[in-house]
Amino acid sequence: MQHRLGFGLAFIVGIGAAGAQEGLDGPRPDRQFRPIDVFALEYASDPRISPDGTTVAYVRRSGDIMTDRFDASIWAVSADGGTHRPLVQGEGAYGGPRWSPSGDRLLFTAREDGKTSLRVLYMDTLRTATIAELAGSPGSPSWSPDGSRIAFGMFVEGSGPSPAAMPARPDGAVWADAPIVIDDVYYRSDGGGYADPGHTQVFVLDAAGGTPRQMTFGEADHGGPYEWSRSGDRLLFSANLLDEPWTDPNESEIHSMDLASGEIETLTDRNGPDASPRLSPDGRTLAYLGYDDREQGYQISTIHLRDMRTGRVRTVADDLDRNIEQIEWDPSGRSIIARYDDHGVGRLAAIGLQGGRELLASGVGGTTVGRPYGGGSFTISEDSIIATVTTDSTRPGDVALRDRSTLTRLTDLNADLLDHKIVPPAEELLAASSHDGREIQAWVITPPDFDPDETYPMILEIHGGPFADYGPRFSAECQLMATAGYIVVYANPRGSTSYGEEFGNLIHHAYPSQDYDDLISVVDAAIDAYPIDEDRLFVTGGSGGGVLTAWIVGSTDRFAAAVVAKPVINWASFVLTADFYPFFTKYWFPAMPWEEPAHYWERSPLSLVGNVTTPTMLLTGEADYRTPISETEQYYQALQLLGVPTRMVRVPGASHGIASRPSRLVAKIANVLAWFEEHDPQR
């Protein structure tokens, strides 16, 4: 499990020539957040409050330097914070804790020695029983209202095309492996590799154990979360049941299945996705998330209410203009608790059924430790106590409880690691875009030995997506850059989420475009507000941030060096090699690349490569199927042909989540900082 490290171990990378002096002129090394500390980080996720509100079970993710992973165990903390103990831990990975309706049992998933099982922890004895050994990983497990059954989703392999017939092989002959024949539209996925044919189907299992019963069989994915009817005779789920779902990838509906007959009734019918079904406490009203599809790059999900007797549908919180990511009914049935991001901050609010909105909590998130993205989740007890995960720019996610009007943090998982270190907070910076004067929100992290009378190099770190947001959340990568002596700046340019649908769609069919102006305006504002050396500006970003970094160096020579991580360089080749190509071609572009080649080319960083003089490094996982490494190779070879100083860093086995393992996160930052130090004008 977790391995804390003493002072005697060597650091993986040094602070660099740009960094602070140690000893009397700056923080001692043991007071700085160092690369080796990444292996000791911890964070909480999937908090589940017991029905009586006395205990929160959650997944505790702990860095392990020996296995180079964030191990997963299940812990419990009492509502008063007085008791904090492990419930399930060992040599495997454990997750998905789910309280039974009476709170006497805790369901969870276990993966040990390559085998997956569903298990139940009996809270009176704290003894565990395996109720099913499974062929695959169970998704979205859900208890029936009486606690007698469990529904979950699981991948079921289907039949694919067979290779052409071959002549008989002589005994003892050694032939090449048979060809692999593919005819599925979605044939590989980032992080999952080349896919076996098949789909996610719904299963129901007796809570006392036995053989799971498969309930769906169609050629479609029947996704969770799964919602039981109050009588326990029906199960609600979301699925795209079109004959050719890939032609309309966002067209999902809410369906209700009779568990006795298997008959499926479709409850929603519109052009757009409907998901996350949640029945009111009395079972009379169905709440769900969705939107009318306008084929825009960014579309926000809102709350819809369906009267289960009449079928009438209405929306609530139309004025919120934020993408709602999770909903749960308040036990009173008078409001719905919703989670969303607003100006880079995760929030919870109570949405009244007849209008009105009450903000309940801010700072929700902290389930990513690399870069300052959003995330997190929440659950609610029978007496309306909310358990969630909270973060700020100095701490990864901890369990928190919202009781009455106060959000109280119950855990401090990184106190032993970070309490004695200087972890600079992110400071808000607002800039007016040079394009149209729009306010662009940004944040700045200064070095731990920051002295306003000194000057510092600056790193602009750009988020991916592009439909995502950064915020004042913990980021190991940004902290390591600051420790290395840089002022770190990150921002939410147009196209970022959490500012409303209009702001997000300013880059619809226009990406990159004026988001470049927004970022340069943020750089100018940072230079005006902080002691930044204008000759020592650096820029980096991953995925969508890699796109913008490449666009920046093709548009200006203002930066001393750049690192383009897992980018798109050529939009035409990207949409024809990425894993979700039916989605990208439909929602990000006006037509197919052979129909609008000029549009694809004009937005491709490769179109500007002839302007590049900035030393530029590229960094991508070799198993990246979201922005395939062929994009990186195109740009690298173009830069080589131009004689621009360049380097390609390939990460073996890494997918698009290039920093998913601690050592890869450290290696990423080490290579970024090494490149910047190598091309620092003061070197």
Side-chain angles (χ1 to χ4, degrees):
M1 295 302 296
Q2 179 186 6
H3 296 268
R4 298 297 195 200
L5 302 178
F7 301 147
L9 294 182
F11 297 133
I12 291 181
V13 297
I15 197 168
Q21 291 180 310
E22 298 173 357
L24 296 178
D25 296 329
R28 299 197 322 260
D30 63 301
R31 298 204 63 209
Q32 299 171 351
F33 183 74
R34 307 294 297 208
I36 201 73
D37 294 330
V38 170
F39 291 93
L41 287 171
E42 299 188 81
Y43 63 94
S45 66
D46 203 5
R48 295 280 160 172
I49 193 166
S50 59
D52 63 6
T54 62
T55 306
V56 180
Y58 71 96
V59 177
R60 183 169 178 166
R61 305 281 297 186
S62 304
D64 188 331
I65 197 170
M66 302 307 293
T67 63
D68 189 23
R69 296 187 184 279
F70 285 100
D71 291 335
S73 56
I74 299 174
W75 284 60
V77 59
S78 60
D80 62 4
T83 302
H84 190 203
R85 60 177 177 169
L87 294 179
V88 182
Q89 59 183 352
E91 297 301 320
Y94 309 94
R98 300 291 185 272
W99 293 100
S100 64
S102 62
D104 62 335
R105 290 160 291 169
L106 187 71
L107 176 74
F108 64 95
T109 63
R111 185 167 181 80
E112 298 172 337
D113 300 324
K115 298 179 181 179
T116 303
S117 61
L118 274 173
R119 299 181 186 176
V120 169
L121 175 68
Y122 293 86
M123 299 307 296
D124 55 352
T125 64
L126 292 183
R127 298 191 59 149
T128 299
T130 297
I131 59 173
E133 298 281 1
L134 302 175
S137 297
S140 303
S142 174
W143 290 89
S144 64
D146 63 0
S148 66
R149 291 169 294 168
I150 296 161
F152 62 92
M154 187 169 64
F155 180 81
V156 176
E157 191 169 340
S159 58
S162 300
M166 293 284 290
R169 184 176 59 187
D171 290 342
V174 179
W175 289 10
D177 292 339
I180 298 172
V181 181
I182 296 171
D183 64 1
D184 284 336
V185 173
Y186 295 107
Y187 63 93
R188 65 180 182 178
S189 63
D190 186 68
Y194 283 82
D196 294 324
H199 297 280
T200 297
Q201 306 292 355
V202 179
F203 289 80
V204 173
L205 171 68
D206 192 292
T211 302
R213 178 188 173 194
Q214 184 174 339
M215 302 302 303
T216 59
F217 299 88
E219 294 294 313
D221 291 315
H222 302 74
Y226 305 107
E227 180 79 345
W228 292 81
S229 65
R230 295 296 168 253
S231 60
D233 60 345
R234 302 188 73 87
L235 196 69
L236 280 66
F237 59 90
S238 175
N240 184 336
L241 300 183
L242 296 175
D243 291 337
E244 295 182 333
W246 64 270
T247 62
D248 201 351
N250 267 357
E251 183 54 29
S252 63
E253 307 292 353
I254 305 294
H255 308 278
S256 174
M257 179 174 57
D258 184 293
L259 293 175
S261 66
E263 178 184 348
I264 293 177
E265 176 188 3
T266 300
L267 302 181
T268 60
D269 180 19
R270 67 166 170 182
N271 181 30
D274 294 314
S276 301
R278 287 290 183 257
L279 283 169
S280 61
D282 61 11
R284 296 178 180 177
T285 305
L286 173 67
Y288 59 95
L289 296 175
Y291 55 81
D292 295 318
D293 191 357
R294 299 181 299 283
E295 296 188 11
Q296 294 177 326
Y298 178 53
Q299 303 179 87
I300 64 171
S301 290
T302 56
I303 302 173
H304 305 268
L305 301 178
R306 182 187 191 272
D307 188 305
M308 294 298 285
R309 291 172 295 182
T310 67
R312 288 196 295 267
V313 176
R314 63 187 179 92
T315 61
V316 293
D318 286 346
D319 61 332
L320 179 56
D321 194 25
R322 295 294 182 267
N323 184 59
I324 298 176
E325 300 180 27
Q326 181 189 354
I327 53 172
E328 302 290 345
W329 282 90
D330 183 87
S332 69
R334 293 190 294 269
S335 64
I336 294 171
I337 312 303
R339 178 177 62 84
Y340 57 92
D341 282 356
D342 178 35
H343 286 76
V345 175
R347 304 192 193 278
L348 298 179
I351 309 295
L353 303 189
Q354 305 302 326
R357 181 171 66 252
E358 178 188 1
L359 180 65
L360 301 179
S362 292
V364 173
T367 54
T368 59
V369 297
R371 295 192 281 166
Y373 284 118
S377 62
F378 72 95
T379 52
I380 186 167
S381 72
E382 292 173 347
D383 52 356
S384 301
I385 301 173
I386 297 173
T388 188
V389 177
T390 187
T391 186
D392 60 35
S393 58
T394 67
R395 282 289 196 276
D398 275 300
V399 178
L401 214 61
R402 204 273 185 184
D403 188 4
R404 297 181 179 87
S405 60
T406 304
L407 184 68
T408 303
R409 191 175 68 178
L410 300 183
T411 65
D412 193 357
L413 301 183
N414 292 280
D416 55 337
L417 174 67
L418 299 179
D419 272 0
H420 64 283
K421 294 181 180 291
I422 300 174
V423 183
E427 302 170 357
E428 185 183 53
L429 175 72
L430 300 177
S433 173
S434 63
H435 175 68
D436 56 9
R438 286 179 184 267
E439 184 177 85
I440 306 300
Q441 191 177 26
W443 291 267
V444 178
I445 299 177
T446 57
D449 66 335
F450 179 69
D451 181 349
D453 293 327
E454 300 291 331
T455 58
Y456 296 86
M458 189 208 81
I459 295 176
L460 174 65
E461 214 290 334
I462 309 173
H463 74 64
F467 304 112
D469 67 74
Y470 275 169
R473 311 170 180 120
F474 181 81
S475 166
E477 296 186 22
C478 291
Q479 289 293 339
L480 290 173
M481 291 175 182
T483 297
Y486 295 87
I487 289 178
V488 182
V489 179
Y490 59 88
N492 286 334
R494 68 192 62 211
S496 300
T497 57
S498 80
Y499 300 89
E501 193 167 277
E502 188 263 348
F503 187 84
N505 279 303
L506 289 173
I507 63 168
H508 179 59
H509 293 173
Y511 169 62
S513 59
Q514 281 72 52
D515 38 3
Y516 163 83
D517 301 300
D518 297 347
L519 291 168
I520 297 301
S521 297
V522 165
V523 171
D524 291 337
I527 291 171
D528 288 342
Y530 291 86
I532 292 170
D533 186 339
E534 293 192 57
D535 293 327
R536 303 172 71 198
L537 304 180
F538 302 90
V539 59
T540 186
S543 192
V547 174
L548 284 167
T549 302
W551 192 263
I552 284 172
V553 297
S555 303
T556 180
D557 61 0
R558 189 172 178 180
F559 293 87
V563 176
V564 176
K566 50 187 181 182
V568 174
I569 295 303
N570 182 335
W571 286 114
S573 58
F574 162 74
V575 299
L576 298 178
T577 54
D579 53 354
F580 289 157
Y581 59 105
F583 176 87
F584 294 129
T585 50
K586 181 171 185 175
Y587 290 95
W588 286 17
F589 295 95
M592 294 296 176
W594 50 88
E595 297 170 337
E596 292 279 357
H599 180 92
Y600 281 75
W601 181 247
E602 288 167 359
R603 300 299 174 194
S604 295
L606 190 59
S607 70
L608 302 179
V609 72
N611 302 332
V612 177
T613 58
T614 304
T616 301
M617 185 176 84
L618 295 113
L619 190 153
T620 304
E622 291 189 331
D624 190 332
Y625 297 139
R626 182 63 43 80
T627 55
I629 199 168
S630 56
E631 293 295 304
T632 288
E633 291 167 336
Q634 289 181 64
Y635 206 58
Y636 173 77
Q637 293 182 193
L639 293 173
Q640 289 284 16
L641 290 172
L642 290 167
V644 176
T646 187
R647 182 174 296 159
M648 178 166 54
V649 178
R650 305 168 65 98
V651 184
S655 62
H656 197 64
I658 197 170
S660 59
R661 300 181 69 171
S663 70
R664 286 177 177 163
L665 190 157
V666 172
K668 175 186 175 184
I669 293 301
N671 278 279
V672 169
L673 293 177
W675 182 255
F676 289 166
E677 182 178 348
E678 182 177 335
H679 295 282
D680 190 326
Q682 289 192 9
R683 182 174 179 266

